[in-house]
Amino acid sequence: MASAKNKYQNYSAELKQYINPFKEQRQRNMGGFWEMMGVMKQMFIDRVSRGPSSIPQVKPDVMEFLRPSSHLKFIWFGHSTLLFNLDGKIILVDPVFSDYAFSLDIFVKRFQAPALSLSELPHIDLILISHDHYDHLDEKTIKHFVDKKTRFLTPTGVGDELVEWGVSRERITELGWDESTTEFGIKFTATPAQHFSGRSLFSKNQTLWASWVIQSQNDKIFYSGDSGYAEHFRAIGEQYGPFDITFIENGQYNERWLDVHMLPEETIQAHIDLKGKVFVPVHWGMFALALHPWTEPVERTYALAKEKGIPYLSPLLGQTVLLGDKIQTTAWWRSELNTQPNPVLSVTTPVQEK
């Protein structure tokens, strides 16, 4: 493993937990546990934020997805779950295939079944985790891979949770910010994010959260995990960019949560800071974790990207995308609601000149 010195002091020995060190963070009062439960109750009642009864979705052609290509292929399953075919290696990002993304099977129900079930997935070489929240780290999904040869790459401390679920320690690599490792010839670097961690009232910030830089022979990819907007995006862009494609959180926001989630305008600015080419919005379209209408994040970022000339790509759930291809998709989220015109989003997914 090659590591770089972490310029951010992201662990407090005094508090005995990980912290957000960025100067530009804008703290807001997120409220306590009962306020968050109140938000969950509102979402349970308010169907506007939860999506329609059926969202357009296609069944992936797994054999076609596995066919060799010189650039990244990916499938988006909704929210932050992604499947990459990169240099012939199959990487699953923040996989959540359960019906619920919460500790109790009452709140945060997925809008519909994923485009592929766990049993239909191809062999997974590596699972990449950004942090331990339920909508990114799903115990039932992880346990599906306990008896397989799949490797795991996580931020510091998250590996302990996987071990508790039965994953052998030797299959797990943990990284701190600005540390790198190479798996299957692909370089992975854990990079900063402004968020928090914890799966209970008693485990807050005991594990690290991270974004990820992924570099293959021909492509450079950025995945944000969850993050508020701060100076780290510009620093990542300067140190590791430019990026052929960025997958950045775009949804589940609130004005009171600006230190841990971005508004759409901030998401687009993060892409610009990162020196990204193609932008793909994630963290929307499958779970409701905030009170905004389910299509609002993608509508706002699409308008901003069009204004700024940013190649914007929001594929159908289950659609296979090949980086470098010319892709035409419609604003499919509008056709389901029948409320606005349904324009064609034509984008060539350009790749960096090497």
Side-chain angles (χ1 to χ4, degrees):
M1 178 190 301
S3 22
K5 185 178 180 181
N6 180 4
K7 66 180 179 180
Y8 297 108
Q9 299 300 315
N10 60 355
Y11 185 79
S12 169
E14 180 182 356
L15 298 174
K16 296 183 179 180
Q17 61 181 226
Y18 291 94
I19 59 173
N20 289 311
F22 309 112
K23 296 178 182 178
E24 296 179 14
Q25 64 181 331
R26 293 156 302 155
Q27 295 288 349
R28 296 290 188 274
N29 177 18
M30 291 182 64
F33 173 78
W34 292 113
E35 179 174 334
M36 291 301 296
M37 291 300 293
V39 171
M40 292 290 186
K41 181 179 178 181
Q42 278 188 267
M43 288 189 292
F44 189 77
I45 296 171
D46 178 9
R47 295 196 60 85
V48 173
S49 67
R50 295 171 59 196
S53 57
S54 179
I55 298 174
Q57 180 168 277
V58 297
K59 188 80 170 182
D61 182 335
V62 175
M63 295 305 296
E64 177 60 32
F65 177 77
L66 294 176
R67 201 178 304 279
S69 60
S70 57
H71 292 287
L72 169 72
K73 282 184 184 178
F74 75 89
I75 296 171
W76 176 59
F77 287 92
H79 204 65
S80 297
T81 299
L82 295 154
L83 187 66
F84 291 166
N85 181 342
L86 192 59
D87 289 354
K89 298 303 177 183
I90 309 304
I91 302 165
L92 190 56
V93 180
D94 280 356
V96 178
F97 285 79
S98 292
D99 291 336
Y100 293 86
F102 197 65
S103 56
L104 301 174
D105 289 353
I106 300 174
F107 300 114
V108 197
K109 189 179 190 303
R110 68 184 310 123
F111 294 165
Q112 62 193 40
L116 290 175
S117 66
L118 281 170
S119 63
E120 293 173 314
L121 290 174
H123 168 74
I124 304 299
D125 294 295
L126 177 77
I127 290 179
L128 183 70
I129 302 295
S130 64
H131 64 297
D132 71 359
H133 285 158
Y134 285 88
D135 57 321
H136 295 260
L137 179 62
D138 174 34
E139 180 178 354
K140 293 178 182 177
T141 298
I142 296 301
K143 285 184 173 179
H144 175 80
F145 295 93
V146 164
D147 296 325
K148 303 185 186 301
K149 295 181 179 180
T150 303
R151 293 192 55 76
F152 294 82
L153 186 52
T154 78
T156 306
V158 177
D160 293 341
E161 296 174 285
L162 305 187
V163 170
E164 289 181 6
W165 299 339
V167 179
S168 59
R169 174 66 70 178
E170 58 268 21
R171 290 165 53 197
I172 303 168
T173 299
E174 297 182 324
L175 297 181
W177 290 352
D178 294 318
E179 290 184 338
S180 300
T181 189
T182 298
E183 300 275 355
F184 309 108
I186 301 167
K187 184 177 181 181
F188 296 84
T189 303
T191 43
Q194 181 164 290
H195 200 56
F196 65 110
S197 66
R199 295 174 68 85
S200 74
L201 292 174
F202 309 104
S203 63
K204 183 177 180 181
N205 298 342
Q206 297 302 299
T207 63
L208 185 60
W209 49 93
S211 57
W212 290 96
V213 171
I214 308 167
Q215 188 165 5
S216 67
Q217 292 182 6
N218 297 314
D219 301 317
K220 192 181 290 184
I221 302 159
F222 177 80
Y223 170 60
S224 71
D226 283 359
S227 182
Y229 180 78
E231 64 185 61
H232 63 291
F233 288 115
R234 187 176 299 276
I236 293 169
E238 290 173 353
Q239 183 171 355
Y240 300 105
F243 293 97
D244 298 294
I245 189 166
T246 69
F247 298 86
I248 306 179
E249 75 145 61
N250 179 213
Q252 322 319 317
Y253 49 76
N254 187 292
E255 287 283 350
R256 299 187 68 178
W257 307 343
L258 295 182
D259 52 343
V260 295
H261 286 299
M262 290 184 281
L263 300 178
E265 294 76 16
E266 295 171 318
T267 293
I268 292 298
Q269 186 58 53
H271 173 82
I272 294 170
D273 291 352
L274 290 160
K275 303 179 182 179
K277 284 196 173 182
V278 178
F279 164 68
V280 181
V282 294
H283 207 240
W284 78 286
M286 190 52 71
F287 297 105
L289 289 157
L291 294 174
H292 57 69
W294 79 281
T295 61
E296 180 183 291
V298 70
E299 286 286 357
R300 286 170 65 176
T301 51
Y302 170 58
L304 289 162
K306 184 176 180 182
E307 176 186 315
K308 296 178 182 296
I310 295 170
Y312 188 96
L313 182 58
S314 186
L316 281 167
L317 296 164
Q319 179 182 356
T320 297
V321 177
L322 173 61
L323 188 62
D325 270 4
K326 185 172 184 179
I327 298 163
Q328 283 194 333
T329 60
T330 61
W332 50 266
W333 57 89
R334 293 183 185 174
S335 63
E336 179 64 28
L337 299 180
N338 294 315
T339 57
Q340 299 183 59
N342 197 11
V344 171
L345 310 180
S346 227
V347 57
T348 298
T349 56
V351 294
Q352 306 286 0
E353 294 182 3
K354 306 300 178 186

